[in-house]
Amino acid sequence: MSFFSKISSVFGDPNAKELKKIQPWITKINEWEGQFKQLSDEQIKEKTQEFKQRVKQGESLNKLLPEAFAVCREAGKRSIGQRAYDTQLIGGIALHQGKIAEMKTGEGKTLAATFAVYLNALEGKGVHIITVNDYLARRDTNWMGVVYNFLGISVGCVQHDTAYFYDQEVTPDTDEVSIEYENLRPVTRQEAYRADITYGTNNEFGFDYLRDNMAPSLEQTAQIRDIKALAKEEKKKQGREGTNKDQDRMFRKDYLNFAVVDEVDNILIDESRTPLIISAPDEESTKLYLKFSRVVPKLILDKDYNIDEKMQAVTLTDKGISKVEKILGIDNLYLSGQMRYVHHLHQALKAHAIFKKDKQYVVRDGEVMIVDDFTGRLMPGRRFSEGLHQALEAKEGVKVQRESRTLATITFQNYFRLYKKLAGMTGTALTSAEEFSKVYKLDVLSIPTHKKMVRINFPDKIYKNEAGKFNAIVEDIKTRHQKKQPVLIGTISVDKSEALAKYLSREGIEHEILNAKNHEREAQIITQAGRAGAVTIATNMAGRGTDIKLGKGVVKAGGLHIIGTERHEARRIDNQLRGRSGRQGDPGSSQFYASLEDELMERFGSEKIKKIMDTLGLPEDQPIENKIISRSIESAQKKIEGFNFDIRKHVLEYDDVINHQRETIYQKRRQNLLGLVKKDELQNTMEKVVGNFVAFHTRAEDATSWNIREIFEYCHSLFTAGESLRGKLKKIAKDQQIDIKEKREKLKKEITNYAFRVYKVKEDEIGSDTLRKLERAVMLKTSDTLWMEHLDNMQYLREGVGLRGYGQRDPLVEYKKEGFEMFQNFLGNIRLNTVETLFKIQIAPKEQTNSSGGLESKPVLGEERKMPANLQLKGADANQSGFFQNNEVKESAGGSANAEEKTAIPIKEAEKIGRNDPCPCGSGKKYKKCCGKKV
């Protein structure tokens, strides 16, 4: 008996207890259903307005839940002909409670979500529904948009290259328009977000959050629905900051209200190590990548370098280092001036030794394209970070792209924790319940199936080698194909799917292949996978998010049969594959095949099984089929899941450091754009700047050794101080009637008061309102520029801090300590640069004022209404519509997981702007004299 089973036997099944608590609500919903049946369609729609009014008057969503769910059920029945089962209502309640609803394949997660989404949309604060790809976002917008439209709720959809609004009045120009575009009207990105409900992918929502926090004005943001409401909230935060640390973090939660994440395990776990990054191109040469791509093939495995299969890491031996030094003609590869060579060498070696073509990546149209480890999908635009992608390009002989510099970044883990309420749904969550709880504070509720599951899951069959395994798989397929039973075969990589296809072709068995190379036909292939006699080979993408419906006569043939060609690292992925069969009480079966040559078996447990097979004297075509073996494999999967969880936890611990800094900066940025930065706050900044340089020059306890001349010269350079100030400072320093501490305070006060008077003169000259605008613009520009540099510095610290472990110091503790010091220095630099700029800023003549009446300053205001040009979005399919206007923005994806492992990151370059070309911001200056300064 497992530990969980023992606990359950003593305290009862916690899942059953939660379901029991929900049952009274189901009873109430069913009671309301009879009453709402009598209402007309128009009266149903009017109920939405009634509910919204009751929410405004203070009625809680929980109190409203039975009525709202009953109305939503009636709307679904009338609009799309689907009356939700009680089990779907339970799923909706779990989502509303901020839980993960585990619902088996075919149980209707999409419809179940409408209840929680509708209820929470009544608040008018926006609900985001996150899907795994653009196709599902469009499909669900059109499909469930019918229900929401019936209820009087607006629906938007953000996509990679545009945004849509659900509009039932839209009719396609041609009957050939795909169903997912049928009633979608193109709109701006802001309009899509201002709908009651917005669909999109995790990448789109994350990138829009980052871009909103780079926007020059709140009017150019996408996700902020109500600027006035945001200003009100920010004022509350200002009044409460510092009173309670936990409250501070809660108040920093932005305008992100409620999100429902579809396929939550895929998004919050599988993709959680891939940060979203917005960057600008770097000018670093690509020659080193090409040079080292020619060097590493000359190195010999186990002699010049070693590979750690479990860590997926590669290390050079002393012999290997010596060989590289000899090839390059240098004495010491690790001299400080040549450390960049070490970086390029390791990335090239990793590209050649660990990353395999048609497994982790494919080459198409002269580009290296990443294949998602978990889904088998191609990830266009995404790139590996830290130069690994460039090393792969050099290895494959395609054009090597430039590296880039980070402007903004966030992990999915920290992005989704920004939502005030988060929920998710999937068919496989219980195996990762611990991680959901620890990282996201999300509980998992397993929802019972509407009909009893009758799928038969056969024990695994283990073969000595891959050839024996594939031959057995083909024989199994032939037998089932002859009796017209459809078969879906799951593989873990593109090359394995193509290898199996060759076996089937030799046997004359017709089949379809669904992998990263032909994913465009995914929906069509999956739709046909349940027809009689169909044979479909798929990577782990296997139509996730879509149901395979059985064709005529298939039920009698035994239903859909699932074949897994090998076990995946995560049990969730195997369970997802099994879940393609046996939906809604349909018959079905599943069988996993494995061999001792499989990657999982080689890494864990193959020796024990090999001894058993050798003892029994089994030939290569004779399998072991035993539940003990299956449990052994599952045990290996648990070990890997725990290992990967530790990696993700490790990444999060480091990212939490910079996440707190990011929250602080973004909040101050919003307050600045909202005009909430007060005049006395700027005065406090001046006082701190003055206090810092006075303290620096008066460290000695003997006032006669103070260099008053240096202090005065600094003041003069800062705000053009007159000789009268020099005299007063000398007088204070020589005053024998006061002690050292009081002298310091008097010096600070004298200089600060003088600075305030100088600043007051500037204010009188240009006007108070204009100066306030200048202050906001300078603070914004200074903060954004230094933040970019700070991100680079934190990344350098992150890469190097691991070496502290050799000195018996905890790298994470060191990272937190030094990261805090760097952040304090960063804040100090913002203050200093802001003050220096404001004192030195020059105002353009009247004829150069802009159209809105605001004055342009030479250092900053020329760029006030434009986003930085030449951006790259790393992390996924990023969107360039919305507020970007004429700035060309290209996309990418990725980041680094840890020192040993680099994760996917996307890059496509924007067209380069010449240094002497006119600046795209419209200032009239050359690019090198304007925006080019900061890139």
Side-chain angles (χ1 to χ4, degrees):
M1 182 180 286
S2 69
F3 176 76
F4 182 77
S5 300
K6 290 178 182 177
I7 293 294
S8 297
S9 65
V10 177
F11 297 102
D13 183 355
N15 197 80
K17 285 185 176 181
E18 287 299 315
L19 292 174
K20 190 174 181 180
K21 289 179 184 177
I22 289 175
Q23 190 54 48
W25 262 336
I26 303 300
T27 303
K28 289 180 183 178
I29 294 168
N30 290 331
E31 289 172 355
W32 278 104
E33 184 179 13
Q35 181 177 330
F36 291 144
K37 280 181 181 177
Q38 312 303 320
L39 300 182
S40 67
D41 290 356
E42 192 58 36
Q43 286 174 320
I44 290 289
K45 186 172 288 191
E46 288 172 358
K47 275 289 177 184
T48 296
Q49 298 308 314
E50 176 195 321
F51 293 156
K52 285 185 175 181
Q53 192 60 36
R54 285 162 62 179
V55 170
K56 281 184 181 178
Q57 292 171 355
E59 188 168 340
S60 71
L61 294 183
N62 282 345
K63 188 175 181 181
L64 198 61
L65 187 150
E67 289 179 72
F69 272 44
V71 165
C72 190
R73 174 191 259 179
E74 187 65 25
K77 189 168 65 174
R78 297 188 190 188
S79 59
I80 61 175
Q82 294 185 18
R83 178 188 177 276
Y85 308 126
D86 285 357
T87 53
Q88 289 172 305
L89 297 179
I90 294 172
I93 292 171
L95 295 175
H96 166 65
Q97 292 176 335
K99 291 185 172 71
I100 291 175
E102 185 188 70
M103 300 178 70
K104 302 302 178 187
T105 301
E107 290 296 307
K109 295 189 293 291
T110 307
L111 184 61
T114 60
F115 299 99
V117 170
Y118 171 63
L119 177 63
N120 284 268
L122 298 173
E123 289 184 308
K125 296 179 180 179
V127 178
H128 294 169
I129 304 179
I130 290 91
T131 63
V132 293
N133 59 50
D134 280 347
Y135 163 76
L136 290 177
R138 290 192 304 270
R139 186 203 70 176
D140 291 354
T141 301
N142 247 317
W143 184 14
M144 294 299 114
V146 180
V147 180
Y148 296 127
N149 183 73
F150 191 90
L151 289 163
I153 295 289
S154 58
V155 185
C157 177
V158 291
Q159 296 276 280
H160 166 67
D161 52 0
T162 187
Y164 297 101
F165 209 85
Y166 178 82
D167 188 346
Q168 214 161 23
E169 301 302 317
V170 172
T171 54
D173 296 331
T174 171
D175 293 337
E176 296 179 2
V177 172
S178 180
I179 187 171
E180 75 264 19
Y181 286 103
E182 195 172 9
N183 296 114
L184 299 184
R185 170 167 52 87
V187 294
T188 65
R189 215 160 180 78
Q190 290 93 334
E191 285 180 276
Y193 275 111
R194 279 156 184 71
D196 295 313
I197 300 163
T198 307
Y199 283 87
T201 65
N202 49 327
N203 296 305
E204 294 306 316
F205 285 112
F207 275 130
D208 284 335
Y209 172 77
L210 290 178
R211 288 181 294 203
D212 280 358
N213 284 286
M214 293 173 60
S217 68
L218 293 177
E219 288 73 22
Q220 294 181 14
T221 59
Q223 291 183 340
I224 297 177
R225 296 167 55 86
D226 188 335
I227 295 176
K228 289 183 179 178
L230 180 64
K232 188 176 179 181
E233 288 298 314
E234 290 293 347
K235 284 181 181 178
K236 285 183 183 178
K237 294 177 190 177
Q238 281 186 323
R240 298 180 184 180
E241 278 178 349
T243 57
N244 181 290
K245 188 175 180 180
D246 292 332
Q247 276 189 348
D248 279 358
R249 290 188 67 79
M250 282 300 296
F251 289 134
R252 283 202 190 98
K253 283 186 179 286
D254 302 317
Y255 33 80
L256 301 173
N257 181 46
F258 176 45
V260 175
V261 183
D262 194 9
E263 306 298 353
V264 66
D265 54 327
N266 178 246
I267 292 174
L268 296 192
I269 293 181
D270 296 341
E271 296 193 16
S272 64
R273 281 185 289 171
T274 304
L276 297 170
I277 301 173
I278 297 181
S279 59
D282 200 337
E283 296 299 327
E284 184 176 348
S285 170
T286 62
K287 290 181 181 178
L288 285 176
Y289 292 111
L290 296 171
K291 175 183 285 188
F292 282 101
S293 72
R294 293 190 291 268
V295 170
V296 294
K298 299 175 182 177
L299 303 180
I300 302 170
L301 178 63
D302 294 332
K303 181 179 179 182
D304 299 323
Y305 66 92
N306 297 310
I307 296 176
D308 187 323
E309 293 287 352
K310 292 186 179 181
M311 295 293 294
Q312 289 288 282
V314 59
T315 54
L316 279 165
T317 64
D318 289 341
K319 287 184 177 179
I321 293 170
S322 299
K323 182 182 283 189
V324 172
E325 289 171 344
K326 186 176 181 180
I327 294 171
L328 295 177
I330 59 177
D331 294 329
N332 190 340
L333 189 63
Y334 287 84
L335 285 176
S336 59
Q338 294 164 175
M339 284 300 291
R340 59 176 181 155
Y341 290 166
V342 178
H343 166 74
H344 286 283
L345 174 58
H346 275 279
Q347 295 301 71
L349 189 55
K350 191 171 183 179
H352 279 261
I354 293 180
F355 283 74
K356 306 300 181 187
K357 186 178 177 182
D358 288 337
K359 185 174 182 182
Q360 290 100 336
Y361 69 93
V362 299
V363 178
R364 177 184 285 184
D365 299 329
E367 289 186 43
V368 172
M369 303 181 78
I370 297 171
V371 175
D372 190 301
D373 287 341
F374 296 96
T375 67
R377 296 177 189 276
L378 277 184
M379 305 167 85
R382 300 184 69 163
R383 292 176 66 84
F384 295 111
S385 65
E386 305 301 324
L388 177 58
H389 210 95
Q390 285 89 341
L392 288 170
E393 288 167 337
K395 168 189 172 184
E396 297 297 339
V398 300
K399 182 181 178 182
V400 180
Q401 305 293 329
R402 289 179 300 173
E403 292 184 290
S404 55
R405 189 178 184 190
T406 301
L407 304 179
T409 179
I410 192 170
T411 61
F412 284 126
Q413 292 159 314
N414 276 316
Y415 170 71
F416 282 109
R417 294 197 300 184
L418 288 170
Y419 281 91
K420 292 176 183 175
K421 184 163 72 173
L422 182 65
M425 50 190 181
T426 182
T428 49
L430 281 177
T431 55
S432 301
E434 180 186 3
E435 184 165 356
F436 283 125
S437 177
K438 288 184 176 180
V439 176
Y440 302 101
K441 304 292 187 291
L442 286 172
D443 294 328
V444 177
L445 185 65
S446 183
I447 312 299
T449 57
H450 177 60
K451 293 181 180 179
K452 186 178 178 181
M453 173 71 71
V454 295
R455 183 184 67 236
I456 301 170
N457 297 325
F458 295 108
D460 295 7
K461 288 185 177 181
I462 318 295
Y463 291 81
K464 271 191 174 182
N465 55 42
E466 188 172 77
K469 178 183 71 173
F470 273 8
N471 286 326
I473 290 172
V474 171
E475 287 302 315
D476 190 3
I477 294 171
K478 280 174 65 177
T479 302
R480 296 179 185 278
H481 184 63
Q482 287 170 0
K483 65 176 187 176
K484 299 297 183 183
Q485 183 179 14
V487 181
L488 174 66
I489 306 106
T491 63
I492 68 166
S493 64
V494 175
D495 58 336
K496 291 295 174 65
S497 67
E498 293 179 343
L500 181 59
K502 290 178 182 177
Y503 275 81
L504 293 179
S505 296
R506 284 202 296 265
E507 296 293 333
I509 300 174
E510 291 186 13
H511 58 277
E512 286 276 10
I513 303 179
L514 175 57
N515 60 31
K517 291 186 175 181
N518 67 339
H519 64 94
E520 296 87 353
R521 296 177 55 237
E522 175 178 349
Q524 178 187 345
I525 293 173
I526 286 298
T527 302
Q528 299 298 316
R531 62 182 172 81
V535 176
T536 309
I537 303 173
T539 51
N540 291 319
M541 59 204 304
R544 189 164 185 165
T546 59
D547 287 334
I548 300 175
K549 296 184 179 180
L550 303 184
K552 187 176 179 181
V554 170
V555 171
K556 287 185 178 179
L560 178 66
H561 181 63
I562 301 296
I563 292 178
T565 59
E566 61 186 279
R567 286 286 196 163
H568 194 275
E569 286 184 355
R571 288 169 294 166
R572 290 179 296 101
I573 309 300
D574 291 342
N575 292 338
Q576 278 285 343
L577 180 60
R578 287 193 198 274
R580 301 293 100 200
S581 174
R583 62 183 295 278
Q584 285 292 329
D586 287 337
S589 53
S590 69
Q591 173 83 69
F592 274 85
Y593 290 78
S595 81
L596 299 184
E597 294 177 350
D598 293 347
E599 185 175 344
L600 179 70
M601 299 297 290
E602 283 185 340
R603 290 172 65 184
F604 295 93
S606 63
E607 288 301 318
K608 185 187 296 184
I609 301 171
K610 189 175 186 300
K611 286 179 182 177
I612 296 173
M613 298 186 83
D614 289 340
T615 302
L616 296 174
L618 295 177
E620 69 174 31
D621 59 347
Q622 180 68 40
I624 291 181
E625 187 175 358
N626 190 289
K627 289 185 178 179
I628 296 176
I629 302 297
S630 296
R631 284 197 293 269
S632 175
I633 294 173
E634 191 169 314
S635 175
Q637 290 175 307
K638 287 179 181 178
K639 289 178 183 177
I640 298 176
E641 287 170 359
F643 176 71
N644 288 335
F645 176 30
D646 288 341
I647 290 177
R648 289 189 290 268
K649 183 181 177 184
H650 186 67
V651 172
L652 184 60
E653 287 172 339
Y654 278 88
D655 191 63
D656 278 343
V657 177
I658 200 166
N659 188 58
H660 183 73
Q661 300 173 1
R662 177 171 46 238
E663 288 175 344
T664 302
I665 288 300
Y666 283 177
Q667 182 184 348
K668 289 183 179 297
R669 197 179 192 281
R670 281 194 302 277
Q671 290 173 350
N672 186 357
L673 292 175
L674 288 165
L676 298 178
V677 179
K678 300 173 185 177
K679 185 178 179 180
D680 60 354
E681 190 171 329
L682 184 64
Q683 291 178 342
N684 290 337
T685 298
M686 291 184 179
E687 288 176 355
K688 287 179 180 178
V689 170
V690 170
N692 285 340
F693 75 76
V694 168
F696 180 80
H697 288 290
T698 61
R699 286 174 294 179
E701 292 301 315
D702 180 8
T704 58
S705 65
W706 291 354
N707 194 329
I708 298 300
R709 179 180 177 181
E710 280 188 342
I711 295 176
F712 172 75
E713 286 177 351
Y714 185 90
C715 294
H716 184 71
S717 66
L718 186 62
F719 48 78
T720 320
E723 286 297 320
S724 61
L725 179 62
R726 188 205 296 260
K728 290 179 180 178
L729 298 182
K730 285 183 176 180
K731 185 177 179 181
I732 293 170
K734 292 179 179 179
D735 192 341
Q736 301 297 319
Q737 305 300 315
I738 55 178
D739 60 21
I740 291 291
K741 185 177 180 181
E742 190 175 352
K743 284 182 180 182
R744 291 192 182 103
E745 290 304 315
K746 279 200 168 188
L747 286 175
K748 291 178 186 177
K749 188 173 182 180
E750 189 64 47
I751 295 171
T752 302
N753 288 339
Y754 192 97
F756 287 166
R757 290 196 296 272
V758 172
Y759 200 67
K760 184 64 171 65
V761 171
K762 183 182 285 286
E763 184 174 357
D764 292 340
E765 287 177 352
I766 65 175
S768 177
D769 291 342
T770 302
L771 188 58
R772 297 291 87 78
K773 290 180 181 178
L774 276 172
E775 289 168 355
R776 291 199 296 271
V778 169
M779 292 174 72
L780 188 67
K781 172 64 177 173
T782 303
S783 177
D784 286 353
T785 302
L786 294 181
W787 176 243
M788 179 175 67
E789 294 178 4
H790 179 68
L791 287 176
D792 283 343
N793 292 334
M794 290 295 289
Q795 180 61 29
Y796 298 146
L797 174 63
R798 172 71 184 89
E799 291 173 357
V801 78
L803 298 175
R804 310 287 176 87
Y806 293 109
Q808 305 302 311
R809 289 183 288 175
D810 186 337
L812 179 59
V813 173
E814 294 293 305
Y815 182 73
K816 288 179 178 179
K817 178 183 175 183
E818 293 197 26
F820 176 78
E821 292 173 358
M822 287 170 62
F823 188 62
Q824 295 305 309
N825 291 335
F826 159 68
L827 294 177
N829 287 334
I830 290 178
R831 289 192 291 267
L832 177 60
N833 288 14
T834 299
V835 170
E836 287 182 343
T837 304
L838 285 172
F839 274 116
K840 290 180 170 60
I841 203 165
Q842 299 295 316
I843 307 302
K846 276 190 176 181
E847 58 269 21
Q848 293 183 25
T849 57
N850 57 40
S851 59
S852 64
L855 293 172
E856 291 186 351
S857 71
K858 292 179 181 178
V860 286
L861 292 188
E863 307 153 31
E864 187 176 6
R865 287 175 173 79
K866 295 285 184 181
M867 287 289 287
N870 244 18
L871 294 183
Q872 299 169 335
L873 307 188
K874 308 178 185 177
D877 301 328
N879 188 291
Q880 66 180 37
S881 63
F883 58 74
F884 280 112
Q885 300 172 352
N886 295 324
N887 289 327
E888 183 181 0
V889 180
K890 301 281 184 177
E891 299 117 32
S892 331
S896 60
N898 60 9
E900 294 79 24
E901 179 175 2
K902 306 301 179 189
T903 328
I905 100 183
I907 297 172
K908 279 188 183 175
E909 296 180 42
E911 183 179 345
K912 184 178 177 182
I913 301 170
R915 287 175 50 76
N916 292 310
D917 291 344
C919 188
C921 77
S923 64
K925 303 175 187 177
K926 290 183 178 181
Y927 178 63
K928 66 182 181 182
K929 296 290 187 181
C930 191
C931 296
K933 281 185 176 181
K934 67 177 184 300
V935 175

